[in-house]
């Protein structure tokens, strides 16, 4: 019985979020325009070509979370 309320509220919240996003972002009720850099496909292609042409020099790979990757030494209380 409670599952229908949970599922219904999830569907309703997603519907409200979609409508609000559509009104604010797509219909631009607060004004503004979409930048040319987003709408112009030629600009995107030229920018992507430039990024791919840069020489890539880097050091060794970096671990994003080094704490979770460490091998901890656990000392026993027998000593």
């Amino acid at each position: 019985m409670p599952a229908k309320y949970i599922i219904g509220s999830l569907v309703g919240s997603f519907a409200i979020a979609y409508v609000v996003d559509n009104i604010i972002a797509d219909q631009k009720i607060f004004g503004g325009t979409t930048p040319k850099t987003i709408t112009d496909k030629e600009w995107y292609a030229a920018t992507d070509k430039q990024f791919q042409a840069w020489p890539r020099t880097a050091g060794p790979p970096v671990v994003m979370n080094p704490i979770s990757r460490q091998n901890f030494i656990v000392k026993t209380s027998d000593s």
Side-chain angles (χ1 to χ4, degrees):
M1 187 75 161
K4 72 176 183 180
Y5 294 114
I6 294 172
I7 293 172
S9 62
L10 283 174
V11 170
S13 64
F14 279 113
I16 291 170
Y18 174 77
V19 168
V20 170
D21 179 61
N22 186 13
I23 291 172
I24 292 174
D26 297 337
Q27 296 178 7
K28 301 203 180 303
I29 62 169
F30 296 119
T33 58
T34 304
K36 182 181 176 197
T37 56
I38 294 176
T39 58
D40 189 8
K41 300 296 181 192
E42 292 178 20
W43 184 91
Y44 175 78
T47 304
D48 189 48
K49 182 179 176 183
Q50 182 181 7
F51 276 129
Q52 297 304 324
W54 286 355
R56 307 222 183 254
T57 58
V62 176
V63 177
M64 294 305 291
N65 188 2
I67 293 175
S68 67
R69 307 279 288 189
Q70 291 178 358
N71 296 323
F72 292 102
I73 298 173
V74 179
K75 295 182 179 179
T76 60
S77 61
D78 295 332
S79 340

Coordinates of all heavy atoms in Angstrom, one line a residue:
M1 N 0.8 -1.2 0.0 CA 0.0 0.0 0.0 C 0.9 1.3 0.0 O 0.6 2.2 -0.8 CB -0.9 -0.1 1.2 CG -1.9 1.0 1.2 SD -3.2 0.7 0.1 CE -4.5 1.8 0.7
P2 N 1.9 1.4 0.9 CA 2.7 2.6 0.9 C 3.5 2.8 -0.4 O 3.9 3.9 -0.8 CB 3.6 2.5 2.1 CG 3.1 1.3 2.9 CD 2.2 0.5 2.0
A3 N 3.8 1.7 -1.1 CA 4.6 1.7 -2.3 C 3.9 2.6 -3.4 O 4.6 3.4 -4.1 CB 4.8 0.4 -2.9
K4 N 2.6 2.6 -3.5 CA 1.9 3.4 -4.5 C 2.1 4.9 -4.2 O 2.2 5.7 -5.1 CB 0.5 3.0 -4.6 CG -0.5 3.4 -3.5 CD -1.9 3.0 -3.8 CE -2.8 3.5 -2.7 NZ -4.2 3.1 -3.0
Y5 N 2.1 5.2 -2.9 CA 2.3 6.6 -2.5 C 3.7 7.1 -2.8 O 3.9 8.2 -3.3 CB 2.0 6.9 -1.0 CG 0.5 6.6 -0.7 CD1 0.2 5.6 0.1 CD2 -0.4 7.5 -1.2 CE1 -1.2 5.4 0.4 CE2 -1.8 7.2 -1.0 CZ -2.1 6.2 -0.1 OH -3.5 6.0 0.2
I6 N 4.7 6.2 -2.6 CA 6.1 6.5 -2.9 C 6.3 6.7 -4.3 O 6.9 7.7 -4.8 CB 7.0 5.5 -2.2 CG1 6.9 5.5 -0.7 CG2 8.4 5.7 -2.7 CD1 7.6 4.4 0.0
I7 N 5.8 5.7 -5.1 CA 6.0 5.8 -6.6 C 5.3 7.0 -7.2 O 5.8 7.7 -8.0 CB 5.5 4.4 -7.2 CG1 6.5 3.3 -6.8 CG2 5.5 4.6 -8.7 CD1 6.0 1.9 -7.2
G8 N 4.0 7.2 -6.7 CA 3.3 8.3 -7.2 C 3.9 9.7 -6.8 O 4.0 10.6 -7.7
S9 N 4.5 9.8 -5.7 CA 5.2 11.1 -5.3 C 6.5 11.2 -6.1 O 6.8 12.3 -6.5 CB 5.5 11.1 -3.8 OG 6.3 10.1 -3.4
L10 N 7.2 10.1 -6.4 CA 8.4 10.2 -7.2 C 8.0 10.7 -8.6 O 8.7 11.5 -9.2 CB 9.1 8.9 -7.3 CG 9.9 8.5 -6.0 CD1 10.5 7.1 -6.1 CD2 11.1 9.5 -5.9
V11 N 7.0 10.1 -9.2 CA 6.6 10.4 -10.6 C 6.1 11.9 -10.6 O 6.5 12.7 -11.5 CB 5.5 9.5 -11.1 CG1 4.8 10.0 -12.3 CG2 6.0 8.1 -11.3
G12 N 5.4 12.3 -9.6 CA 4.9 13.7 -9.5 C 6.0 14.7 -9.3 O 6.1 15.7 -10.0
S13 N 7.0 14.3 -8.5 CA 8.2 15.2 -8.4 C 9.0 15.4 -9.6 O 9.5 16.5 -10.0 CB 9.0 14.8 -7.2 OG 9.6 13.6 -7.4
F14 N 9.2 14.3 -10.4 CA 9.9 14.3 -11.6 C 9.1 15.2 -12.7 O 9.7 15.9 -13.4 CB 10.2 12.9 -12.2 CG 11.4 12.3 -11.6 CD1 11.3 11.2 -10.8 CD2 12.6 12.8 -11.8 CE1 12.4 10.6 -10.2 CE2 13.8 12.2 -11.2 CZ 13.6 11.1 -10.4
A15 N 7.8 15.0 -12.7 CA 7.0 15.8 -13.6 C 7.1 17.3 -13.3 O 7.2 18.1 -14.2 CB 5.5 15.3 -13.5
I16 N 7.0 17.6 -12.0 CA 7.1 19.1 -11.6 C 8.5 19.6 -11.9 O 8.7 20.7 -12.5 CB 6.8 19.2 -10.1 CG1 5.4 19.0 -9.8 CG2 7.2 20.6 -9.6 CD1 5.0 18.9 -8.4
A17 N 9.6 18.8 -11.7 CA 10.9 19.2 -12.0 C 11.1 19.4 -13.5 O 11.7 20.4 -14.0 CB 11.9 18.2 -11.5
Y18 N 10.5 18.6 -14.3 CA 10.6 18.7 -15.8 C 9.9 20.0 -16.2 O 10.4 20.7 -17.1 CB 10.0 17.5 -16.5 CG 9.9 17.7 -18.0 CD1 11.0 17.5 -18.8 CD2 8.7 18.0 -18.6 CE1 11.0 17.7 -20.1 CE2 8.6 18.2 -20.0 CZ 9.8 18.1 -20.7 OH 9.7 18.3 -22.1
V19 N 8.7 20.2 -15.7 CA 7.9 21.4 -16.1 C 8.7 22.7 -15.7 O 8.8 23.6 -16.5 CB 6.5 21.4 -15.5 CG1 5.8 22.7 -15.7 CG2 5.7 20.3 -16.2
V20 N 9.2 22.8 -14.5 CA 9.9 23.9 -14.1 C 11.2 24.1 -14.9 O 11.5 25.3 -15.3 CB 10.2 23.8 -12.6 CG1 11.2 24.9 -12.1 CG2 9.0 23.9 -11.7
D21 N 11.9 23.0 -15.1 CA 13.1 23.2 -16.0 C 12.8 23.6 -17.4 O 13.5 24.5 -17.9 CB 13.8 21.8 -16.0 CG 15.1 21.9 -16.9 OD1 16.0 22.6 -16.6 OD2 15.1 21.2 -17.9
N22 N 11.7 23.1 -17.9 CA 11.3 23.6 -19.3 C 11.0 25.0 -19.3 O 11.4 25.8 -20.2 CB 10.2 22.7 -19.8 CG 9.8 23.0 -21.2 OD1 10.5 23.7 -21.9 ND2 8.6 22.6 -21.6
I23 N 10.2 25.5 -18.3 CA 9.8 26.9 -18.3 C 11.0 27.8 -18.1 O 11.2 28.8 -18.8 CB 8.8 27.1 -17.2 CG1 7.4 26.4 -17.6 CG2 8.5 28.6 -17.0 CD1 6.4 26.4 -16.5
I24 N 11.9 27.5 -17.2 CA 13.0 28.4 -16.9 C 14.1 28.3 -17.9 O 14.6 29.3 -18.4 CB 13.6 28.0 -15.5 CG1 12.6 28.4 -14.4 CG2 14.9 28.8 -15.2 CD1 12.9 28.0 -13.0
A25 N 14.5 27.1 -18.3 CA 15.6 27.0 -19.2 C 15.3 27.1 -20.7 O 16.0 27.9 -21.4 CB 16.3 25.6 -19.0
D26 N 14.2 26.5 -21.1 CA 13.9 26.5 -22.6 C 13.1 27.7 -23.0 O 13.3 28.3 -24.0 CB 13.2 25.2 -22.9 CG 14.0 24.0 -22.7 OD1 15.3 24.1 -22.7 OD2 13.5 22.9 -22.6
Q27 N 12.1 28.1 -22.2 CA 11.2 29.2 -22.5 C 11.8 30.5 -22.1 O 11.3 31.6 -22.4 CB 9.8 29.0 -22.0 CG 9.2 27.8 -22.6 CD 7.8 27.5 -22.0 OE1 7.2 28.3 -21.3 NE2 7.2 26.4 -22.4
K28 N 12.8 30.5 -21.2 CA 13.6 31.6 -20.7 C 12.6 32.7 -20.2 O 12.6 33.8 -20.7 CB 14.4 32.2 -21.8 CG 15.4 31.2 -22.4 CD 16.6 31.8 -23.0 CE 17.6 30.8 -23.5 NZ 18.1 29.9 -22.6
I29 N 11.9 32.4 -19.1 CA 11.0 33.3 -18.6 C 11.7 34.5 -17.9 O 11.1 35.6 -17.7 CB 10.0 32.7 -17.6 CG1 10.7 32.1 -16.4 CG2 9.1 31.7 -18.3 CD1 9.8 31.6 -15.3
F30 N 13.0 34.3 -17.5 CA 13.7 35.4 -16.9 C 14.5 36.2 -17.9 O 15.4 37.0 -17.5 CB 14.6 34.8 -15.8 CG 13.9 34.2 -14.7 CD1 14.0 32.8 -14.4 CD2 13.0 34.9 -13.9 CE1 13.3 32.3 -13.3 CE2 12.3 34.4 -12.9 CZ 12.5 33.0 -12.6
G31 N 14.3 35.9 -19.2 CA 15.1 36.6 -20.2 C 16.4 35.9 -20.6 O 16.7 34.8 -20.1
G32 N 17.1 36.6 -21.4 CA 18.4 36.0 -21.8 C 18.3 35.2 -23.1 O 17.2 34.9 -23.6
T33 N 19.4 34.9 -23.6 CA 19.5 34.0 -24.8 C 20.5 32.9 -24.6 O 21.3 33.0 -23.8 CB 19.9 34.9 -26.1 OG1 21.2 35.5 -25.8 CG2 18.9 36.0 -26.4
T34 N 20.4 32.0 -25.5 CA 21.4 30.9 -25.5 C 22.7 31.4 -26.2 O 22.6 31.9 -27.3 CB 20.9 29.6 -26.2 OG1 19.6 29.3 -25.6 CG2 21.8 28.5 -26.1
P35 N 23.9 31.2 -25.6 CA 25.1 31.7 -26.2 C 25.3 31.0 -27.6 O 25.0 29.9 -27.8 CB 26.2 31.3 -25.2 CG 25.5 31.0 -23.9 CD 24.1 30.6 -24.3
K36 N 26.0 31.8 -28.4 CA 26.3 31.3 -29.8 C 27.2 30.1 -29.7 O 27.2 29.2 -30.5 CB 26.9 32.4 -30.6 CG 27.2 32.0 -32.0 CD 27.8 33.1 -32.8 CE 28.2 32.6 -34.2 NZ 29.1 33.5 -34.9
T37 N 28.1 30.1 -28.7 CA 29.0 29.0 -28.6 C 28.3 27.6 -28.3 O 28.9 26.6 -28.6 CB 30.0 29.2 -27.4 OG1 29.3 29.5 -26.2 CG2 30.9 30.4 -27.7
I38 N 27.1 27.7 -27.8 CA 26.4 26.4 -27.6 C 25.6 26.0 -28.9 O 25.4 24.9 -29.2 CB 25.5 26.6 -26.4 CG1 26.3 26.7 -25.2 CG2 24.5 25.4 -26.3 CD1 25.5 26.9 -23.9
T39 N 25.0 27.1 -29.5 CA 24.1 26.8 -30.7 C 24.9 26.6 -32.0 O 24.3 25.9 -32.9 CB 23.1 27.9 -30.8 OG1 23.8 29.1 -31.1 CG2 22.2 28.0 -29.6
D40 N 26.1 27.1 -32.1 CA 26.8 27.0 -33.4 C 27.6 25.7 -33.4 O 28.6 25.6 -32.7 CB 27.7 28.2 -33.5 CG 28.4 28.4 -34.9 OD1 28.0 27.6 -35.8 OD2 29.2 29.2 -35.0
K41 N 27.3 24.8 -34.3 CA 28.0 23.5 -34.4 C 29.4 23.7 -35.0 O 30.3 23.0 -34.7 CB 27.2 22.6 -35.3 CG 25.8 22.3 -34.8 CD 25.8 21.6 -33.5 CE 24.4 21.3 -33.0 NZ 24.4 20.8 -31.6
E42 N 29.6 24.7 -35.9 CA 30.9 24.9 -36.4 C 31.9 25.4 -35.4 O 33.0 25.0 -35.3 CB 30.8 26.0 -37.5 CG 30.1 25.6 -38.8 CD 30.0 26.7 -39.8 OE1 30.8 27.6 -39.8 OE2 29.1 26.6 -40.7
W43 N 31.4 26.2 -34.4 CA 32.3 26.7 -33.3 C 32.7 25.5 -32.5 O 33.8 25.3 -32.1 CB 31.5 27.7 -32.5 CG 32.3 28.3 -31.4 CD1 33.1 29.4 -31.4 CD2 32.5 27.7 -30.1 NE1 33.7 29.6 -30.2 CE2 33.4 28.6 -29.4 CE3 32.0 26.6 -29.4 CZ2 33.8 28.3 -28.1 CZ3 32.4 26.4 -28.1 CH2 33.3 27.3 -27.4
Y44 N 31.7 24.6 -32.2 CA 32.0 23.4 -31.4 C 33.1 22.5 -32.1 O 34.0 22.0 -31.5 CB 30.8 22.6 -31.1 CG 31.0 21.3 -30.4 CD1 31.3 21.3 -29.0 CD2 31.1 20.1 -31.1 CE1 31.6 20.1 -28.4 CE2 31.4 18.9 -30.4 CZ 31.6 18.9 -29.1 OH 31.9 17.8 -28.4
A45 N 32.9 22.3 -33.4 CA 33.8 21.5 -34.1 C 35.2 22.1 -34.1 O 36.2 21.4 -34.0 CB 33.3 21.3 -35.6
A46 N 35.3 23.4 -34.3 CA 36.6 24.1 -34.3 C 37.3 24.0 -33.0 O 38.5 23.8 -32.8 CB 36.5 25.5 -34.8
T47 N 36.5 24.2 -31.9 CA 37.0 24.1 -30.5 C 37.5 22.7 -30.2 O 38.6 22.5 -29.7 CB 36.0 24.6 -29.5 OG1 35.5 25.9 -29.9 CG2 36.5 24.6 -28.1
D48 N 36.7 21.7 -30.6 CA 37.1 20.3 -30.3 C 38.4 20.0 -31.1 O 39.3 19.3 -30.6 CB 36.0 19.4 -30.7 CG 36.2 18.0 -30.3 OD1 36.6 17.8 -29.1 OD2 36.1 17.1 -31.1
K49 N 38.5 20.4 -32.3 CA 39.7 20.2 -33.1 C 40.9 20.8 -32.5 O 42.0 20.2 -32.4 CB 39.5 20.8 -34.5 CG 40.6 20.5 -35.5 CD 40.3 21.1 -36.8 CE 41.5 20.9 -37.8 NZ 41.3 21.6 -39.1
Q50 N 40.8 22.0 -31.9 CA 41.9 22.7 -31.3 C 42.3 21.9 -30.0 O 43.5 21.8 -29.7 CB 41.5 24.1 -30.9 CG 42.6 24.9 -30.3 CD 42.2 26.3 -29.9 OE1 41.0 26.7 -30.0 NE2 43.1 27.1 -29.5
F51 N 41.3 21.5 -29.2 CA 41.6 20.7 -28.0 C 42.4 19.4 -28.3 O 43.3 19.0 -27.6 CB 40.4 20.4 -27.2 CG 40.0 21.6 -26.3 CD1 38.7 22.0 -26.3 CD2 40.9 22.2 -25.4 CE1 38.3 23.1 -25.5 CE2 40.5 23.2 -24.6 CZ 39.2 23.6 -24.6
Q52 N 42.0 18.8 -29.4 CA 42.6 17.5 -29.8 C 44.0 17.7 -30.3 O 44.8 16.8 -30.3 CB 41.7 16.7 -30.8 CG 40.4 16.3 -30.2 CD 40.4 15.5 -29.0 OE1 41.3 14.7 -28.8 NE2 39.5 15.7 -28.1
A53 N 44.3 18.9 -30.8 CA 45.6 19.2 -31.4 C 46.6 19.5 -30.4 O 47.8 19.5 -30.7 CB 45.5 20.3 -32.4
W54 N 46.3 19.9 -29.2 CA 47.2 20.3 -28.1 C 48.1 19.1 -27.8 O 47.7 18.0 -27.7 CB 46.5 20.8 -26.9 CG 45.9 22.1 -27.0 CD1 46.0 23.0 -28.0 CD2 45.1 22.7 -26.0 NE1 45.3 24.1 -27.8 CE2 44.7 24.0 -26.5 CE3 44.7 22.4 -24.8 CZ2 43.9 24.9 -25.8 CZ3 43.9 23.3 -24.0 CH2 43.5 24.5 -24.6
P55 N 49.4 19.4 -27.6 CA 50.3 18.3 -27.2 C 50.0 17.9 -25.7 O 49.8 18.8 -24.9 CB 51.7 18.9 -27.3 CG 51.5 20.3 -27.3 CD 50.2 20.6 -27.8
R56 N 49.9 16.7 -25.5 CA 49.6 16.2 -24.1 C 50.8 15.7 -23.4 O 51.4 14.7 -23.8 CB 48.5 15.2 -24.2 CG 47.3 15.6 -25.0 CD 46.1 15.1 -24.3 NE 44.9 15.5 -25.1 CZ 44.1 16.4 -24.8 NH1 44.3 17.2 -23.8 NH2 43.1 16.7 -25.6
T57 N 51.3 16.4 -22.4 CA 52.4 16.0 -21.6 C 51.9 15.9 -20.1 O 51.3 16.9 -19.6 CB 53.6 17.0 -21.7 OG1 53.1 18.3 -21.3 CG2 54.1 17.0 -23.1
A58 N 52.1 14.8 -19.5 CA 51.6 14.6 -18.2 C 52.5 13.7 -17.4 O 53.3 12.9 -18.0 CB 50.2 14.1 -18.2
G59 N 52.4 13.7 -16.1 CA 53.1 12.8 -15.3 C 52.4 11.5 -15.1 O 51.5 11.2 -15.9
P60 N 52.7 10.8 -14.1 CA 52.0 9.5 -13.8 C 50.6 9.7 -13.4 O 50.2 10.8 -13.0 CB 52.8 8.9 -12.7 CG 53.5 10.0 -12.0 CD 53.8 11.0 -13.1
P61 N 49.7 8.7 -13.6 CA 48.3 8.9 -13.2 C 48.2 9.3 -11.7 O 49.0 8.8 -10.9 CB 47.7 7.6 -13.5 CG 48.7 6.8 -14.2 CD 50.0 7.4 -14.1
V62 N 47.2 10.0 -11.4 CA 46.9 10.5 -10.0 C 45.7 9.8 -9.5 O 44.7 9.7 -10.2 CB 46.7 12.0 -10.0 CG1 46.4 12.5 -8.6 CG2 47.9 12.7 -10.6
V63 N 45.8 9.3 -8.3 CA 44.7 8.6 -7.7 C 43.8 9.7 -7.0 O 44.3 10.5 -6.3 CB 45.2 7.6 -6.6 CG1 44.0 7.0 -5.9 CG2 46.0 6.5 -7.2
M64 N 42.5 9.7 -7.4 CA 41.6 10.7 -6.9 C 41.4 10.7 -5.4 O 41.2 11.7 -4.7 CB 40.3 10.7 -7.6 CG 40.5 11.0 -9.1 SD 41.3 12.6 -9.4 CE 40.0 13.7 -8.8
N65 N 41.4 9.5 -4.8 CA 41.1 9.3 -3.4 C 42.2 8.4 -2.8 O 42.0 7.2 -2.7 CB 39.7 8.7 -3.1 CG 39.4 8.7 -1.7 OD1 40.2 9.2 -0.8 ND2 38.2 8.2 -1.3
P66 N 43.4 9.0 -2.5 CA 44.5 8.1 -2.1 C 44.3 7.4 -0.8 O 44.9 6.4 -0.6 CB 45.7 9.1 -2.0 CG 45.0 10.5 -1.8 CD 43.7 10.4 -2.5
I67 N 43.4 7.9 0.1 CA 43.2 7.3 1.4 C 42.6 5.9 1.2 O 42.9 4.9 1.8 CB 42.3 8.2 2.3 CG1 43.1 9.4 2.7 CG2 41.9 7.4 3.5 CD1 42.4 10.4 3.5
S68 N 41.6 5.8 0.3 CA 41.0 4.5 0.0 C 41.9 3.5 -0.7 O 41.6 2.3 -0.8 CB 39.7 4.7 -0.7 OG 40.0 5.1 -2.0
R69 N 43.0 4.0 -1.3 CA 43.9 3.1 -2.0 C 45.1 2.6 -1.3 O 45.9 1.9 -1.8 CB 44.3 3.8 -3.3 CG 43.2 4.4 -4.1 CD 42.6 3.4 -5.0 NE 43.6 3.1 -6.1 CZ 43.3 2.3 -7.1 NH1 42.1 1.8 -7.2 NH2 44.2 2.1 -8.0
Q70 N 45.3 3.1 0.0 CA 46.5 2.7 0.7 C 46.3 1.3 1.3 O 45.2 0.8 1.6 CB 46.7 3.7 1.9 CG 47.1 5.1 1.4 CD 47.2 6.1 2.6 OE1 47.0 5.7 3.7 NE2 47.6 7.3 2.3
N71 N 47.5 0.7 1.4 CA 47.5 -0.6 2.1 C 47.9 -0.4 3.5 O 49.1 -0.2 3.8 CB 48.5 -1.5 1.4 CG 48.0 -1.8 0.0 OD1 46.9 -2.0 -0.3 ND2 49.0 -1.9 -1.0
F72 N 47.0 -0.4 4.4 CA 47.3 -0.1 5.8 C 47.9 -1.4 6.5 O 47.5 -2.5 6.2 CB 46.0 0.3 6.6 CG 45.5 1.6 6.1 CD1 44.4 1.7 5.3 CD2 46.1 2.8 6.6 CE1 43.9 2.9 4.9 CE2 45.6 4.0 6.2 CZ 44.6 4.1 5.3
I73 N 48.9 -1.1 7.3 CA 49.5 -2.2 8.1 C 48.8 -2.3 9.4 O 48.8 -1.3 10.2 CB 51.0 -2.0 8.3 CG1 51.6 -2.0 6.9 CG2 51.6 -3.1 9.2 CD1 53.1 -1.6 6.9
V74 N 48.1 -3.4 9.7 CA 47.4 -3.5 11.0 C 48.3 -4.3 11.9 O 48.7 -5.4 11.7 CB 46.1 -4.3 10.7 CG1 45.4 -4.5 12.1 CG2 45.2 -3.6 9.7
K75 N 48.6 -3.6 13.1 CA 49.5 -4.2 14.1 C 48.6 -5.0 15.0 O 47.6 -4.5 15.5 CB 50.3 -3.2 14.8 CG 51.2 -2.5 13.9 CD 52.1 -1.5 14.7 CE 53.1 -0.8 13.8 NZ 53.9 0.2 14.4
T76 N 49.0 -6.2 15.3 CA 48.3 -7.0 16.3 C 48.7 -6.7 17.7 O 49.8 -6.1 17.9 CB 48.5 -8.5 16.0 OG1 49.9 -8.8 16.1 CG2 48.0 -8.9 14.6
S77 N 47.9 -7.0 18.7 CA 48.3 -6.7 20.0 C 49.1 -7.8 20.7 O 49.3 -7.7 21.9 CB 47.0 -6.5 20.8 OG 46.2 -7.7 20.8
D78 N 49.6 -8.7 19.9 CA 50.5 -9.8 20.5 C 51.9 -9.3 20.8 O 52.6 -9.9 21.6 CB 50.6 -10.9 19.4 CG 49.3 -11.6 19.2 OD1 48.4 -11.6 20.1 OD2 49.1 -12.1 18.1
S79 N 52.3 -8.2 20.3 CA 53.7 -7.7 20.5 C 54.0 -7.3 21.9 O 53.4 -6.7 22.6 CB 54.1 -6.6 19.6 OG 53.3 -6.4 18.5

